[in-house]
Amino acid sequence: MIRETSNQEIGTHTFSHFYCLENGQNEEHFEKDLKAVSSLGEIASLVFPRNQVNRQYLHLCKELGVKAYRGNEKNWMYKAHTSKKNSWLKRLCRLIDAYVDISGNHTYCLKNLETDPIVNIPSSRFLRPYNSRFSMLEQLRLRRIKKGLTRAAKKNELYHLWWHPHNFGRDTKENLQFLEEILKHVDYLKNKYNFQSMHMRDVTDVLKIITSKIVMKSYYFPFIVIL
């Protein structure tokens, strides 16, 4: 049903929620997992579980038809790590960063994206779910995201927003209201700056057009990847 619906992308989070940096796993295990996914049909993109990006496995992704993956923000607190190295300090800093800018906006210029062996479309922001303990800080969290989106729109760059479906399982009303505020801002930016919404697959297609030199530099435009 999903494949038959236009403008939908089939990606993978691996077959078994495979942790690519933990002890006990290896490249052979990962290959078998990804083959199990690819046997279900063409897979356009990959999101590594727990953001455990293992660059040594990217060539396997390419061999099995994956064209892009979601990389991590370019800051020490977001660097790929094992469960044991996910220290309380990193978790605290990431929590603070959701409300106050301590790591930057993480917007990206298309021409600077890594493309070898597959395209790295880095994360800009994890859309944390509503937390009643921090309800008084919701406007800070919203302003943080809006600021990044606006920067991307003004500078013709990419903003990659993501979350898990189950994040909205609790406090659904508050989470959907928050998301609606974000989408309203995206619509405003679309009207003012031609801000576009894309899948990860769409990003790879745009990169192909740009690198083919069919179009001029003016082809660049800002966009948001929502995952």
Side-chain angles (χ1 to χ4, degrees):
M1 181 180 296
I2 296 177
R3 292 186 186 279
E4 295 173 354
T5 304
S6 61
N7 298 320
Q8 298 299 310
E9 175 181 337
I10 303 295
T12 180
H13 201 39
T14 71
F15 190 82
S16 62
H17 210 250
F18 192 95
Y19 300 147
C20 293
L21 294 179
E22 300 294 344
N23 292 330
Q25 59 81 35
N26 58 41
E27 188 172 323
E28 181 182 357
H29 299 156
F30 178 72
E31 182 178 14
K32 290 180 178 179
D33 182 286
L34 210 57
K35 282 184 176 179
V37 176
S38 60
S39 68
L40 302 176
E42 182 181 355
I43 302 299
S45 57
L46 166 68
V47 172
F48 287 90
R50 290 188 178 175
N51 298 314
Q52 291 190 359
V53 176
N54 190 328
R55 299 185 64 84
Q56 295 180 4
Y57 294 173
L58 296 180
H59 69 94
L60 280 174
C61 297
K62 182 177 182 179
E63 290 174 8
L64 294 172
V66 178
K67 296 178 175 58
Y69 72 100
R70 187 185 73 214
N72 299 333
E73 294 93 324
K74 300 182 184 302
N75 187 277
W76 68 271
M77 70 181 76
Y78 295 104
K79 186 177 179 180
H81 52 255
T82 63
S83 299
K84 289 184 177 181
K85 292 185 177 180
N86 187 21
S87 67
W88 66 267
L89 178 60
K90 287 183 178 179
R91 295 195 299 270
L92 176 61
C93 287
R94 291 197 298 268
L95 176 62
I96 295 173
D97 194 42
Y99 297 90
V100 182
D101 183 358
I102 62 174
S103 74
N105 289 305
H106 304 292
T107 62
Y108 309 98
C109 178
L110 267 179
K111 66 180 181 180
N112 294 332
L113 292 184
E114 299 174 7
T115 58
D116 186 35
I118 60 176
V119 179
N120 176 13
I121 307 174
S123 164
S124 298
R125 180 67 40 202
F126 167 48
L127 180 57
R128 287 179 174 268
Y130 173 84
N131 189 323
S132 59
R133 292 177 297 173
F134 305 129
S135 59
M136 72 291 295
L137 301 176
E138 283 296 272
Q139 286 304 309
L140 284 178
R141 186 164 70 99
L142 181 61
R143 185 173 68 181
R144 177 85 167 98
I145 295 174
K146 283 185 174 181
K147 182 180 177 181
L149 290 168
T150 302
R151 173 187 167 86
K154 287 183 176 180
K155 294 177 67 68
N156 282 353
E157 294 185 339
L158 174 155
Y159 190 91
H160 191 163
L161 183 69
W162 64 276
W163 67 94
H164 307 95
H166 67 259
N167 292 143
F168 286 11
R170 294 181 58 184
D171 302 308
T172 303
K173 178 181 178 181
E174 289 81 1
N175 283 310
L176 289 177
Q177 287 177 340
F178 192 89
L179 178 60
E180 184 176 4
E181 290 301 312
I182 293 174
L183 296 179
K184 286 180 180 178
H185 190 63
V186 170
D187 188 59
Y188 163 77
L189 295 174
K190 177 182 178 181
N191 291 326
K192 188 170 184 178
Y193 300 104
N194 194 31
F195 202 41
Q196 301 295 313
S197 176
M198 291 187 173
H199 300 298
M200 293 175 69
R201 177 199 60 213
D202 297 331
V203 177
T204 63
D205 290 342
V206 170
L207 282 173
K208 286 181 181 178
I209 295 173
I210 292 174
T211 56
S212 69
K213 298 181 180 180
I214 296 175
V215 295
M216 302 299 292
K217 184 178 179 181
S218 60
Y219 185 83
Y220 287 97
F221 53 85
F223 55 92
I224 176 174
V225 178
I226 298 180
L227 185 63

